[in-house]
Amino acid sequence: MSKKLRERFAFIEHMARWYGGVTASLLSDAFEITRENAQRTFQQYQKSYPNNLVYNRSKKKRETTLQFQSKFIRNDPSLFLSHLKSNWNVSRYRESVDWEELKIEEADSVTKLNLDSKVVQVIIQALNEKSVLTIDYQSSNRLGQRVISPNHLVHADFRYHLRGFSHDDSIYKDYVLGRIIEAQLITNHPKSGDWIEWRSD
């Protein structure tokens, strides 16, 4: 199955599951396709998953059946709400296709975070390349240099953290992104050695 068709099938399930039904017009508008193409997409979905949707003639839309089992979305309300929040955040960053009829605002995103764009750029590069970093880090009581293997970005308590292996202490730590004053990729450092991957155990 093509990526394009999977995306359209996901939209069909998304609207039917969370918004009570989906129409050819909604599908056509979301993907900028003709109504005929939208109808063909419904036929393909129906052929593959015949027990999932039923056409409600009075409402002129396809609705979920009692036997509905999602194949392309997660049937979890908390994940749906997270999707709404993510969609709102994406819309603040770039213009994108909006599937949603509901809006949810994330207060965390409205709060201005004091982040250095150059620092963030270097961290993203290190994460992608699995490179060791030196960072100048302002802890609660002092400014010091750390050597770390960055592994993950984490968002918690209204701020971003960089999770990674500390080559100074030989343990995994979280570093508040806003407290990283400077970051540099390094290839040869007496404390660093190779990049070390996060282990949850």
Side-chain angles (χ1 to χ4, degrees):
M1 183 182 297
S2 69
K3 182 179 179 181
K4 182 188 297 183
L5 191 59
R6 290 181 66 86
E7 186 77 0
R8 292 177 187 179
F9 281 6
F11 176 82
I12 289 171
E13 291 187 352
H14 176 78
M15 298 304 295
R17 171 67 179 86
W18 299 112
Y19 291 106
V22 59
T23 64
S25 178
L26 282 172
L27 186 61
S28 175
D29 290 346
F31 293 95
E32 297 180 344
I33 58 177
T34 64
R35 285 180 62 86
E36 291 77 15
N37 200 342
Q39 293 290 3
R40 279 196 298 273
T41 303
F42 278 125
Q43 290 167 6
Q44 288 173 290
Y45 183 89
Q46 198 72 35
K47 184 178 179 180
S48 299
Y49 311 103
N51 298 320
N52 268 2
L53 299 178
V54 63
Y55 185 71
N56 185 324
R57 292 186 181 278
S58 63
K59 295 182 180 179
K60 296 183 178 179
K61 61 183 179 181
R62 288 165 176 83
E63 300 174 338
T64 58
T65 65
L66 293 176
Q67 296 80 33
F68 176 80
Q69 291 185 341
S70 57
K71 306 295 182 181
F72 300 91
I73 62 170
R74 300 280 190 264
N75 193 32
D76 183 326
S78 63
L79 290 178
F80 169 66
L81 293 175
S82 293
H83 166 80
L84 289 180
K85 182 177 72 171
S86 298
N87 194 73
W88 184 79
N89 284 325
V90 167
S91 71
R92 296 179 71 235
Y93 175 64
R94 65 174 174 86
E95 192 173 318
S96 64
V97 175
D98 186 1
W99 290 3
E100 305 312 328
E101 296 180 4
L102 294 175
K103 300 297 177 190
I104 188 168
E105 182 175 305
E106 185 189 13
D108 290 6
S109 297
V110 179
T111 305
K112 178 66 177 175
L113 298 174
N114 185 26
L115 299 176
D116 185 294
S117 60
K118 178 62 177 175
V119 166
V120 173
Q121 181 184 0
V122 172
I123 288 170
I124 297 301
Q125 184 181 350
L127 286 166
N128 281 329
E129 297 177 0
K130 297 184 177 180
S131 298
V132 179
L133 281 177
T134 57
I135 60 172
D136 292 343
Y137 189 73
Q138 179 66 62
S139 64
S140 56
N141 56 2
R142 70 182 183 89
L143 175 65
Q145 190 174 84
R146 318 287 168 85
V147 179
I148 63 172
S149 287
N151 276 250
H152 307 288
L153 286 174
V154 178
H155 185 259
D157 301 325
F158 303 98
R159 57 190 183 182
Y160 291 93
H161 302 251
L162 177 62
R163 183 168 293 165
F165 180 82
S166 167
H167 291 264
D168 301 287
D169 304 317
S170 296
I171 58 173
Y172 296 95
K173 289 185 174 182
D174 277 10
Y175 301 89
V176 178
L177 227 58
R179 291 184 174 182
I180 301 176
I181 310 302
E182 191 173 339
Q184 288 185 318
L185 296 169
I186 58 173
T187 54
N188 188 13
H189 191 284
K191 291 181 181 177
S192 68
D194 295 328
W195 177 86
I196 297 175
E197 188 171 5
W198 170 265
R199 294 195 307 271
S200 58
D201 54 317

mmCIF file of all heavy atoms in Angstrom, residues 159-182:
data_model
loop_
_atom_site.group_PDB
_atom_site.id
_atom_site.type_symbol
_atom_site.label_atom_id
_atom_site.label_comp_id
_atom_site.label_asym_id
_atom_site.label_seq_id
_atom_site.Cartn_x
_atom_site.Cartn_y
_atom_site.Cartn_z
ATOM 1 N N ARG A 159 9.447 22.858 30.140
ATOM 2 C CA ARG A 159 10.737 23.153 29.532
ATOM 3 C C ARG A 159 11.303 21.913 28.853
ATOM 4 O O ARG A 159 10.851 20.800 29.091
ATOM 5 C CB ARG A 159 11.716 23.689 30.572
ATOM 6 C CG ARG A 159 11.960 22.777 31.755
ATOM 7 C CD ARG A 159 12.749 23.486 32.845
ATOM 8 N NE ARG A 159 13.059 22.601 33.955
ATOM 9 C CZ ARG A 159 13.707 22.987 35.046
ATOM 10 N NH1 ARG A 159 14.136 24.237 35.149
ATOM 11 N NH2 ARG A 159 13.952 22.139 36.021
ATOM 12 N N TYR A 160 12.302 22.160 28.004
ATOM 13 C CA TYR A 160 12.954 21.078 27.277
ATOM 14 C C TYR A 160 14.227 20.645 27.990
ATOM 15 O O TYR A 160 14.961 21.467 28.518
ATOM 16 C CB TYR A 160 13.289 21.509 25.849
ATOM 17 C CG TYR A 160 12.069 21.692 24.983
ATOM 18 C CD1 TYR A 160 11.464 22.943 24.855
ATOM 19 C CD2 TYR A 160 11.509 20.616 24.303
ATOM 20 C CE1 TYR A 160 10.335 23.115 24.075
ATOM 21 C CE2 TYR A 160 10.382 20.778 23.521
ATOM 22 C CZ TYR A 160 9.805 22.027 23.407
ATOM 23 O OH TYR A 160 8.684 22.186 22.646
ATOM 24 N N HIS A 161 14.466 19.336 27.944
ATOM 25 C CA HIS A 161 15.666 18.760 28.533
ATOM 26 C C HIS A 161 16.405 17.964 27.461
ATOM 27 O O HIS A 161 15.787 17.392 26.560
ATOM 28 C CB HIS A 161 15.313 17.797 29.675
ATOM 29 C CG HIS A 161 14.517 18.430 30.772
ATOM 30 N ND1 HIS A 161 15.047 18.694 32.013
ATOM 31 C CD2 HIS A 161 13.230 18.849 30.815
ATOM 32 C CE1 HIS A 161 14.117 19.244 32.776
ATOM 33 N NE2 HIS A 161 13.006 19.343 32.069
ATOM 34 N N LEU A 162 17.707 17.911 27.594
ATOM 35 C CA LEU A 162 18.530 17.047 26.763
ATOM 36 C C LEU A 162 18.989 15.895 27.640
ATOM 37 O O LEU A 162 19.642 16.106 28.661
ATOM 38 C CB LEU A 162 19.741 17.814 26.219
ATOM 39 C CG LEU A 162 20.732 17.008 25.386
ATOM 40 C CD1 LEU A 162 20.078 16.458 24.127
ATOM 41 C CD2 LEU A 162 21.946 17.862 25.028
ATOM 42 N N ARG A 163 18.635 14.688 27.261
ATOM 43 C CA ARG A 163 18.996 13.506 28.039
ATOM 44 C C ARG A 163 20.184 12.826 27.369
ATOM 45 O O ARG A 163 20.188 12.603 26.163
ATOM 46 C CB ARG A 163 17.821 12.549 28.121
ATOM 47 C CG ARG A 163 18.065 11.311 28.959
ATOM 48 C CD ARG A 163 16.763 10.585 29.212
ATOM 49 N NE ARG A 163 15.885 11.388 30.055
ATOM 50 C CZ ARG A 163 14.587 11.157 30.219
ATOM 51 N NH1 ARG A 163 14.009 10.154 29.590
ATOM 52 N NH2 ARG A 163 13.850 11.934 31.001
ATOM 53 N N GLY A 164 21.199 12.510 28.163
ATOM 54 C CA GLY A 164 22.368 11.878 27.578
ATOM 55 C C GLY A 164 23.315 11.312 28.623
ATOM 56 O O GLY A 164 23.087 11.413 29.835
ATOM 57 N N PHE A 165 24.391 10.731 28.134
ATOM 58 C CA PHE A 165 25.399 10.126 28.995
ATOM 59 C C PHE A 165 26.457 11.159 29.350
ATOM 60 O O PHE A 165 27.034 11.803 28.464
ATOM 61 C CB PHE A 165 26.049 8.936 28.289
ATOM 62 C CG PHE A 165 27.098 8.239 29.107
ATOM 63 C CD1 PHE A 165 26.742 7.307 30.072
ATOM 64 C CD2 PHE A 165 28.448 8.514 28.914
ATOM 65 C CE1 PHE A 165 27.704 6.650 30.822
ATOM 66 C CE2 PHE A 165 29.422 7.867 29.662
ATOM 67 C CZ PHE A 165 29.056 6.935 30.625
ATOM 68 N N SER A 166 26.713 11.334 30.649
ATOM 69 C CA SER A 166 27.753 12.253 31.105
ATOM 70 C C SER A 166 29.083 11.514 31.147
ATOM 71 O O SER A 166 29.260 10.569 31.925
ATOM 72 C CB SER A 166 27.419 12.796 32.500
ATOM 73 O OG SER A 166 28.549 13.424 33.056
ATOM 74 N N HIS A 167 30.035 11.960 30.313
ATOM 75 C CA HIS A 167 31.362 11.337 30.308
ATOM 76 C C HIS A 167 32.171 11.755 31.537
ATOM 77 O O HIS A 167 33.135 11.089 31.898
ATOM 78 C CB HIS A 167 32.115 11.717 29.025
ATOM 79 C CG HIS A 167 31.526 11.102 27.789
ATOM 80 N ND1 HIS A 167 31.992 9.946 27.220
ATOM 81 C CD2 HIS A 167 30.470 11.493 27.026
ATOM 82 C CE1 HIS A 167 31.284 9.657 26.144
ATOM 83 N NE2 HIS A 167 30.341 10.582 26.013
ATOM 84 N N ASP A 168 31.758 12.836 32.179
ATOM 85 C CA ASP A 168 32.451 13.293 33.385
ATOM 86 C C ASP A 168 32.124 12.405 34.588
ATOM 87 O O ASP A 168 32.990 12.113 35.408
ATOM 88 C CB ASP A 168 32.051 14.749 33.700
ATOM 89 C CG ASP A 168 32.380 15.686 32.552
ATOM 90 O OD1 ASP A 168 33.574 15.982 32.352
ATOM 91 O OD2 ASP A 168 31.451 16.111 31.841
ATOM 92 N N ASP A 169 30.849 12.002 34.680
ATOM 93 C CA ASP A 169 30.392 11.238 35.842
ATOM 94 C C ASP A 169 30.068 9.777 35.528
ATOM 95 O O ASP A 169 29.723 9.011 36.430
ATOM 96 C CB ASP A 169 29.145 11.896 36.438
ATOM 97 C CG ASP A 169 29.393 13.354 36.792
ATOM 98 O OD1 ASP A 169 30.455 13.644 37.351
ATOM 99 O OD2 ASP A 169 28.515 14.191 36.488
ATOM 100 N N SER A 170 30.116 9.418 34.247
ATOM 101 C CA SER A 170 29.794 8.056 33.793
ATOM 102 C C SER A 170 28.389 7.613 34.196
ATOM 103 O O SER A 170 28.155 6.470 34.587
ATOM 104 C CB SER A 170 30.827 7.048 34.327
ATOM 105 O OG SER A 170 32.099 7.333 33.799
ATOM 106 N N ILE A 171 27.434 8.548 34.110
ATOM 107 C CA ILE A 171 26.028 8.235 34.357
ATOM 108 C C ILE A 171 25.172 9.003 33.351
ATOM 109 O O ILE A 171 25.647 9.936 32.702
ATOM 110 C CB ILE A 171 25.587 8.617 35.798
ATOM 111 C CG1 ILE A 171 25.812 10.112 36.055
ATOM 112 C CG2 ILE A 171 26.285 7.758 36.836
ATOM 113 C CD1 ILE A 171 25.244 10.589 37.378
ATOM 114 N N TYR A 172 23.897 8.607 33.257
ATOM 115 C CA TYR A 172 22.962 9.303 32.380
ATOM 116 C C TYR A 172 22.315 10.455 33.153
ATOM 117 O O TYR A 172 21.933 10.302 34.309
ATOM 118 C CB TYR A 172 21.892 8.346 31.864
ATOM 119 C CG TYR A 172 22.473 7.257 30.984
ATOM 120 C CD1 TYR A 172 22.794 6.014 31.520
ATOM 121 C CD2 TYR A 172 22.711 7.489 29.633
ATOM 122 C CE1 TYR A 172 23.335 5.016 30.726
ATOM 123 C CE2 TYR A 172 23.259 6.496 28.830
ATOM 124 C CZ TYR A 172 23.567 5.263 29.382
ATOM 125 O OH TYR A 172 24.107 4.284 28.597
ATOM 126 N N LYS A 173 22.183 11.602 32.474
ATOM 127 C CA LYS A 173 21.633 12.791 33.123
ATOM 128 C C LYS A 173 20.709 13.544 32.177
ATOM 129 O O LYS A 173 20.750 13.357 30.959
ATOM 130 C CB LYS A 173 22.764 13.744 33.552
ATOM 131 C CG LYS A 173 23.608 13.267 34.710
ATOM 132 C CD LYS A 173 24.608 14.350 35.098
ATOM 133 C CE LYS A 173 25.377 13.981 36.356
ATOM 134 N NZ LYS A 173 26.310 15.067 36.756
ATOM 135 N N ASP A 174 19.900 14.428 32.772
ATOM 136 C CA ASP A 174 19.088 15.373 32.007
ATOM 137 C C ASP A 174 19.673 16.772 32.184
ATOM 138 O O ASP A 174 20.039 17.158 33.301
ATOM 139 C CB ASP A 174 17.641 15.382 32.509
ATOM 140 C CG ASP A 174 16.817 14.259 31.905
ATOM 141 O OD1 ASP A 174 17.407 13.382 31.252
ATOM 142 O OD2 ASP A 174 15.585 14.269 32.081
ATOM 143 N N TYR A 175 19.734 17.508 31.067
ATOM 144 C CA TYR A 175 20.246 18.876 31.092
ATOM 145 C C TYR A 175 19.154 19.802 30.556
ATOM 146 O O TYR A 175 18.633 19.578 29.466
ATOM 147 C CB TYR A 175 21.503 19.004 30.222
ATOM 148 C CG TYR A 175 22.625 18.084 30.649
ATOM 149 C CD1 TYR A 175 22.729 16.796 30.138
ATOM 150 C CD2 TYR A 175 23.568 18.507 31.579
ATOM 151 C CE1 TYR A 175 23.742 15.941 30.538
ATOM 152 C CE2 TYR A 175 24.601 17.662 31.982
ATOM 153 C CZ TYR A 175 24.675 16.375 31.459
ATOM 154 O OH TYR A 175 25.687 15.532 31.859
ATOM 155 N N VAL A 176 18.805 20.824 31.326
ATOM 156 C CA VAL A 176 17.792 21.784 30.888
ATOM 157 C C VAL A 176 18.350 22.565 29.700
ATOM 158 O O VAL A 176 19.425 23.158 29.787
ATOM 159 C CB VAL A 176 17.409 22.742 32.031
ATOM 160 C CG1 VAL A 176 16.394 23.776 31.541
ATOM 161 C CG2 VAL A 176 16.860 21.963 33.220
ATOM 162 N N LEU A 177 17.610 22.555 28.587
ATOM 163 C CA LEU A 177 18.108 23.174 27.355
ATOM 164 C C LEU A 177 18.398 24.661 27.546
ATOM 165 O O LEU A 177 19.379 25.182 27.013
ATOM 166 C CB LEU A 177 17.089 22.969 26.227
ATOM 167 C CG LEU A 177 17.648 22.482 24.899
ATOM 168 C CD1 LEU A 177 18.389 21.170 25.067
ATOM 169 C CD2 LEU A 177 16.535 22.330 23.874
ATOM 170 N N GLY A 178 17.564 25.336 28.308
ATOM 171 C CA GLY A 178 17.748 26.768 28.525
ATOM 172 C C GLY A 178 18.970 27.105 29.361
ATOM 173 O O GLY A 178 19.384 28.271 29.427
ATOM 174 N N ARG A 179 19.568 26.105 30.007
ATOM 175 C CA ARG A 179 20.764 26.347 30.818
ATOM 176 C C ARG A 179 22.057 26.019 30.064
ATOM 177 O O ARG A 179 23.140 26.153 30.626
ATOM 178 C CB ARG A 179 20.700 25.514 32.098
ATOM 179 C CG ARG A 179 19.617 25.983 33.060
ATOM 180 C CD ARG A 179 19.664 25.177 34.350
ATOM 181 N NE ARG A 179 18.729 25.698 35.340
ATOM 182 C CZ ARG A 179 18.586 25.209 36.556
ATOM 183 N NH1 ARG A 179 19.313 24.161 36.940
ATOM 184 N NH2 ARG A 179 17.735 25.735 37.400
ATOM 185 N N ILE A 180 21.925 25.551 28.833
ATOM 186 C CA ILE A 180 23.104 25.283 28.018
ATOM 187 C C ILE A 180 23.506 26.578 27.317
ATOM 188 O O ILE A 180 22.786 27.078 26.449
ATOM 189 C CB ILE A 180 22.848 24.155 27.002
ATOM 190 C CG1 ILE A 180 22.460 22.865 27.740
ATOM 191 C CG2 ILE A 180 24.073 23.925 26.118
ATOM 192 C CD1 ILE A 180 22.088 21.712 26.830
ATOM 193 N N ILE A 181 24.629 27.140 27.725
ATOM 194 C CA ILE A 181 25.072 28.438 27.218
ATOM 195 C C ILE A 181 25.765 28.300 25.872
ATOM 196 O O ILE A 181 25.615 29.138 24.976
ATOM 197 C CB ILE A 181 26.041 29.121 28.221
ATOM 198 C CG1 ILE A 181 25.432 29.106 29.635
ATOM 199 C CG2 ILE A 181 26.392 30.519 27.768
ATOM 200 C CD1 ILE A 181 24.082 29.775 29.739
ATOM 201 N N GLU A 182 26.512 27.215 25.694
ATOM 202 C CA GLU A 182 27.224 26.968 24.449
ATOM 203 C C GLU A 182 27.350 25.468 24.244
ATOM 204 O O GLU A 182 27.396 24.702 25.216
ATOM 205 C CB GLU A 182 28.615 27.618 24.488
ATOM 206 C CG GLU A 182 29.313 27.633 23.138
ATOM 207 C CD GLU A 182 30.612 28.432 23.157
ATOM 208 O OE1 GLU A 182 30.782 29.285 24.068
ATOM 209 O OE2 GLU A 182 31.446 28.211 22.264
#
